[in-house]
Amino acid sequence: MNQIDYLRISLIDKCNFRCQYCMPEEAELDYLLSQELLTNQEITTLLKNIFIPLGFTKFRLTGGEPLLRPGLVDLVKEIADLPQTQDLSMTTNGFLLAKQAKALYDAGLNRLNISLDSLNPETFDRIIGNRGRSRWQQTWQGIQTAYQVGFNPLKLNVVVIPGVNETEILDLAALTIERNWHVRFIEFMPIGNPELFGDRAWIDSAELRTQIGNRYGLESGAVTGNGPADVFQIPGAKGTLGFISQMSECFCDRCNRVRLSADGWLRPCLLNETGQIDLKTALRNRISDREIRQQVQQLLHLKSEINFKQRDSGTNKGIYTRTMSQIGG
Ligand SMILES: Nc1nc2c(ncn2[C@@H]2O[C@H](COP(=O)(O)OP(=O)(O)OP(=O)(O)O)[C@@H](O)[C@H]2O)c(=O)[nH]1
Ligand SMILES: C[S@@+](CC[C@H](N)C(=O)[O-])C[C@H]1O[C@@H](n2cnc3c(N)ncnc32)[C@H](O)[C@@H]1O
Ligand code: SF4
Ligand code: SF4
């Protein structure tokens, strides 16, 4: 069995974007109340008393949009300062990054993955549901600032949507030639927007590799990470290209992570809710650390069963009912 040592922590379920593939504008979502969110202190207590003693050393902050979380820099510092923390990273849409990047870097955040689905401001705004105000320029500035303050590796996540941004694959891949950035193409999953997903809403990573290989050539590459990306490189490029292929491949056999939702549910697998544990209620009811650790350990033992056998059990006819923003993607 793989060692499960990577916890993805959702800090908030709200977002300042409404990406078509995640939180489409027309969707009605129920948001958590602020008292339902784990506090910073509860998060660090869980890390110190539960997850670290069970061998967790890698933590990613996500959401919703983590940069909207009040007290974020303090939380980053507290987690980074834990002696057992080997890797502390964040996944963000980058819109509020230009102002926060330096403070986050100084607080000890090691790595950033930033979503950027298009280099064309109009396409970008259409994807993120801009509600009348262009957001591309500020997002691009956030990415540049993050790189300038020292985030390395800096990864850009592109969800590839047929008919929306698929014509930009070569341009996005070309970003890595002169820049030490890591562009990752993600196969669109049937989570969040069933209409957009339609009949064939994802493009096989192998197809993208052929396109890019024909234009620029492609060889194997390497970059630091804990995730499912297969990494390649354009020969001579400064950065790399990653392919995250959850639709065309199954990488569950190398799964090393569990997820903590913003309201404290520990979820063994992204794609289903089997076996979830409510850690917030346990903490607030003063259940002993020992007992909570035992419950978590039991879930970790069950995880490989859940991964393989119940991957689709959280779906309704193959469509997932919770969005990535609610789960903590
Ligand atoms: N099926 C599946 N997909 C995942 C999982 N974790 C991440 N992904 C996919 O990978 C995309 C990028 O995830 P990121 O948040 O950037 O993190 P990562 O690639 O795991 O992280 P590093 O490699 O450590 O940088 C997500 O949007 C998902 O589409 C997972 O546990 N299961
Ligand atoms: C849910 S977001 C949370 C962090 C941050 N708001 C962001 O967008 O980077 C995390 C990742 O999930 C991805 N994502 C959301 N919905 C998806 C879907 N239906 N299929 C594949 N990836 C998805 C996003 O592209 C992003 O890279
Ligand atoms: S993918 Fe990220 S930025 Fe886009 S709506 Fe979802 S949580 Fe927000
Ligand atoms: S689908 Fe579940 S088991 Fe597979 S990689 Fe994602 S979290 Fe792990």
Side-chain angles (χ1 to χ4, degrees), residues 8 10 12 14-17 19-23 61-67 90-94 113-117 156-160 184 186-193 197 246-247 270 323-329:
R8 295 175 66 103
S10 175
I12 190 162
K14 294 197 178 72
C15 188
N16 43 0
F17 285 6
C19 299
Q20 288 180 28
Y21 51 75
C22 178
M23 304 170 80
L61 307 177
T62 180
E65 177 44 47
L67 296 179
M90 180 183 293
T91 304
T92 167
N93 65 29
N113 295 6
I114 307 171
S115 297
L116 183 78
D117 297 321
L156 301 186
N157 283 343
V158 181
V159 178
V160 181
R184 292 116 52 82
I186 300 172
E187 289 175 355
F188 180 19
M189 285 190 282
I191 296 183
N193 190 343
F197 195 81
Q246 59 261 24
M247 299 306 289
L270 172 68
T323 64
M324 289 283 266
S325 61
Q326 289 167 324
I327 301 165

Side-chain angles (χ1 to χ4, degrees), residues 231-246:
V231 183
F232 292 79
Q233 190 159 28
I234 294 172
K238 294 185 176 147
T240 67
L241 295 172
F243 297 87
I244 300 179
S245 316
Q246 59 261 24

Side-chain angles (χ1 to χ4, degrees), residues 61-119:
L61 307 177
T62 180
E65 177 44 47
L67 296 179
L68 294 176
R69 166 100 184 189
L72 176 64
V73 172
D74 292 340
L75 179 64
V76 165
K77 183 154 176 38
E78 281 186 64
I79 301 177
D81 285 348
L82 297 172
Q84 297 88 348
T85 300
Q86 285 175 13
D87 186 29
L88 177 60
S89 55
M90 180 183 293
T91 304
T92 167
N93 65 29
F95 185 65
L96 298 175
L97 199 51
K99 282 202 179 128
Q100 299 188 46
K102 176 132 185 19
L104 290 168
Y105 186 78
D106 291 345
L109 187 69
N110 303 127
R111 302 194 289 121
L112 269 176
N113 295 6
I114 307 171
S115 297
L116 183 78
D117 297 321
S118 177
L119 293 172

Side-chain angles (χ1 to χ4, degrees), residues 19-275:
C19 299
Q20 288 180 28
Y21 51 75
C22 178
M23 304 170 80
E25 287 185 276
E26 50 291 356
E28 280 185 30
L29 298 172
D30 291 326
Y31 293 110
L32 296 169
L33 301 171
S34 56
Q35 64 269 29
E36 292 177 298
L37 297 181
L38 288 175
T39 62
N40 282 4
Q41 200 194 350
E42 285 170 333
I43 293 172
T44 48
T45 299
L46 284 172
L47 297 190
K48 281 191 242 178
N49 298 353
I50 309 298
F51 289 98
I52 287 173
L54 291 172
F56 282 76
T57 54
K58 298 162 189 156
F59 307 107
R60 173 172 295 278
L61 307 177
T62 180
E65 177 44 47
L67 296 179
L68 294 176
R69 166 100 184 189
L72 176 64
V73 172
D74 292 340
L75 179 64
V76 165
K77 183 154 176 38
E78 281 186 64
I79 301 177
D81 285 348
L82 297 172
Q84 297 88 348
T85 300
Q86 285 175 13
D87 186 29
L88 177 60
S89 55
M90 180 183 293
T91 304
T92 167
N93 65 29
F95 185 65
L96 298 175
L97 199 51
K99 282 202 179 128
Q100 299 188 46
K102 176 132 185 19
L104 290 168
Y105 186 78
D106 291 345
L109 187 69
N110 303 127
R111 302 194 289 121
L112 269 176
N113 295 6
I114 307 171
S115 297
L116 183 78
D117 297 321
S118 177
L119 293 172
N120 175 324
E122 278 173 29
T123 310
F124 179 83
D125 288 333
R126 203 163 60 241
I127 295 173
I128 63 131
N130 75 334
R131 283 160 286 166
R133 177 181 158 210
S134 182
R135 313 247 169 152
W136 188 87
Q137 192 59 45
Q138 188 172 322
T139 303
W140 183 249
Q141 188 55 51
I143 296 169
Q144 310 268 4
T145 307
Y147 192 64
Q148 280 155 14
V149 304
F151 283 106
N152 184 11
L154 182 77
K155 301 184 184 178
L156 301 186
N157 283 343
V158 181
V159 178
V160 181
I161 312 168
V164 178
N165 61 353
E166 64 176 309
T167 52
E168 291 192 55
I169 302 307
L170 293 177
D171 292 341
L172 285 157
L175 286 176
T176 64
I177 298 174
E178 294 298 333
R179 299 172 177 84
N180 180 19
W181 292 356
H182 306 278
V183 173
R184 292 116 52 82
F185 296 106
I186 300 172
E187 289 175 355
F188 180 19
M189 285 190 282
I191 296 183
N193 190 343
E195 280 82 39
L196 182 64
F197 195 81
D199 299 334
R200 191 183 174 270
W202 57 279
I203 300 182
D204 195 324
S205 295
E207 227 176 287
L208 302 183
R209 284 197 288 269
T210 305
Q211 249 190 66
I212 297 167
N214 287 343
R215 174 70 179 80
Y216 299 112
L218 207 54
E219 57 192 27
S220 325
V223 64
T224 310
N226 305 305
D230 296 316
V231 183
F232 292 79
Q233 190 159 28
I234 294 172
K238 294 185 176 147
T240 67
L241 295 172
F243 297 87
I244 300 179
S245 316
Q246 59 261 24
M247 299 306 289
S248 62
E249 283 173 23
C250 178
F251 41 71
C252 302
D253 57 345
R254 54 181 208 251
C255 186
N256 57 354
R257 76 272 318 266
V258 288
R259 288 177 159 77
L260 184 62
S261 72
D263 57 344
W265 284 89
L266 182 66
R267 186 180 176 107
C269 169
L270 172 68
L271 298 182
N272 75 71
E273 285 164 10
T274 312

